Amino acid sequence: CEYLKNLTPGGFRMYLINNENGFILENSFQLYKMIHWIKTEMFAYLTIFNSRGFNADLNLDYETKFLIILTLVNSDFNFYDRNRTLIRTSEHYQASSGSQNRYFIFKRKTMYYVHMINVRFKTAVCPLVFQNSKLAQISFKNLHNTFYKKNFIQFINLKNVSLNSFINSLRFFNFFGLDLNTKLIDENVFSNTSEFYFDGLINSIQSDLFARFSNLKN
């Protein structure tokens, strides 16, 4: 993997790999125990290959001060209920994730990084997935919107929702034919984002897109 070659040496590294039908990341993995293994480290790399997605009630709310870099590679960005039924609507997601305070993967006192490389987006993403997120950066690599290949993230439109999400930087790399609009860049999820970075072929830009983000600096 090109990204892994460039990682800074050191720190704790953990790889979850499945070369067959993929797996759903759920509470049975007990990833919160990873925190106990990195007490002597300054940061940790968690890289997931070939995942089918996440359980909506995934609970990794173990708070830590360590820097965590989460990378999804060749995986599906899907969410499932406890019966392993694919979630397609915000109502289904809310019913499956419970009424507890939601956090994307980890409950954090300090920010962490999420990188998505060759990740597949088969369904529109519910913005509630990123409720209470605290990310230094989230990046997407190799998204396409062409006649031959369509794979890019889109958000379900939720109005009058306060997500309390803090994502400093949103980055898109090596993409082709994306339309920059509020379906791609949800104004609730990225309301506190200060930096957008685009490195690829842009098809169109929504005329009032960037005016919607009052904290945007770069």
Side-chain angles (χ1 to χ4, degrees):
C1 175
E2 179 182 348
Y3 172 76
L4 296 179
K5 292 179 182 178
N6 298 321
L7 290 179
T8 304
F12 175 85
R13 298 170 186 267
M14 180 176 181
Y15 304 97
L16 296 179
I17 304 172
N18 187 303
N19 294 322
E20 297 179 357
N21 297 323
F23 58 90
I24 298 174
L25 194 63
E26 52 192 7
N27 290 326
S28 61
F29 281 81
Q30 298 182 333
L31 284 182
Y32 63 88
K33 291 185 177 180
M34 180 182 73
I35 304 303
H36 296 290
W37 305 335
I38 63 174
K39 286 183 177 179
T40 60
E41 304 288 354
M42 293 299 295
F43 51 87
Y45 296 105
L46 172 59
T47 305
I48 300 173
F49 293 85
N50 306 326
S51 169
R52 290 167 52 197
F54 309 88
N55 264 105
D57 64 348
L58 184 67
N59 182 19
L60 302 179
D61 60 351
Y62 195 107
E63 292 196 33
T64 175
K65 63 182 180 180
F66 301 109
L67 173 63
I68 294 178
I69 300 172
L70 171 67
T71 304
L72 303 178
V73 183
N74 297 334
S75 297
D76 297 328
F77 196 74
N78 291 327
F79 288 82
Y80 296 84
D81 62 20
R82 293 183 180 181
N83 297 319
R84 297 196 169 189
T85 300
L86 180 63
I87 294 174
R88 298 182 181 276
T89 66
S90 292
E91 292 77 13
H92 191 178
Y93 179 81
Q94 287 180 289
S96 302
S97 60
S99 59
Q100 74 277 7
N101 288 330
R102 302 180 184 89
Y103 298 88
F104 180 60
I105 309 300
F106 294 103
K107 181 179 180 181
R108 302 287 292 153
K109 288 183 178 179
T110 56
M111 294 190 176
Y112 66 109
Y113 293 75
V114 176
H115 303 295
M116 301 192 194
I117 303 173
N118 296 331
V119 169
R120 296 172 292 272
F121 299 92
K122 297 181 178 180
T123 60
V125 177
C126 175
L128 293 172
V129 166
F130 291 98
Q131 189 169 16
N132 299 314
S133 293
K134 194 174 183 182
L135 305 181
Q137 182 186 114
I138 184 169
S139 67
F140 303 87
K141 188 174 183 179
N142 298 334
L143 299 182
H144 292 81
N145 182 22
T146 69
F147 178 80
Y148 300 100
K149 184 177 182 180
K150 291 186 181 294
N151 178 51
F152 55 95
I153 185 170
Q154 290 192 87
F155 285 94
I156 297 173
N157 183 21
L158 291 185
K159 296 182 179 179
N160 301 319
V161 175
S162 177
L163 298 180
N164 190 37
S165 61
F166 291 86
I167 302 175
N168 274 2
S169 176
L170 170 64
R171 298 189 169 207
F172 295 91
F173 295 94
N174 195 36
F175 64 82
F176 195 93
L178 290 188
D179 295 299
L180 305 188
N181 53 38
T182 51
K183 288 185 177 180
L184 180 75
I185 308 172
D186 185 88
E187 54 190 309
N188 293 313
V189 175
F190 302 106
S191 60
N192 293 300
T193 298
S194 61
E195 178 191 65
F196 293 151
Y197 182 91
F198 307 101
D199 184 4
L201 181 60
I202 297 172
N203 182 52
S204 69
I205 303 176
Q206 183 176 323
S207 60
D208 65 341
L209 176 64
F210 300 115
R212 295 167 180 262
F213 301 95
S214 59
N215 293 299
L216 186 61
K217 297 178 180 178
N218 299 305

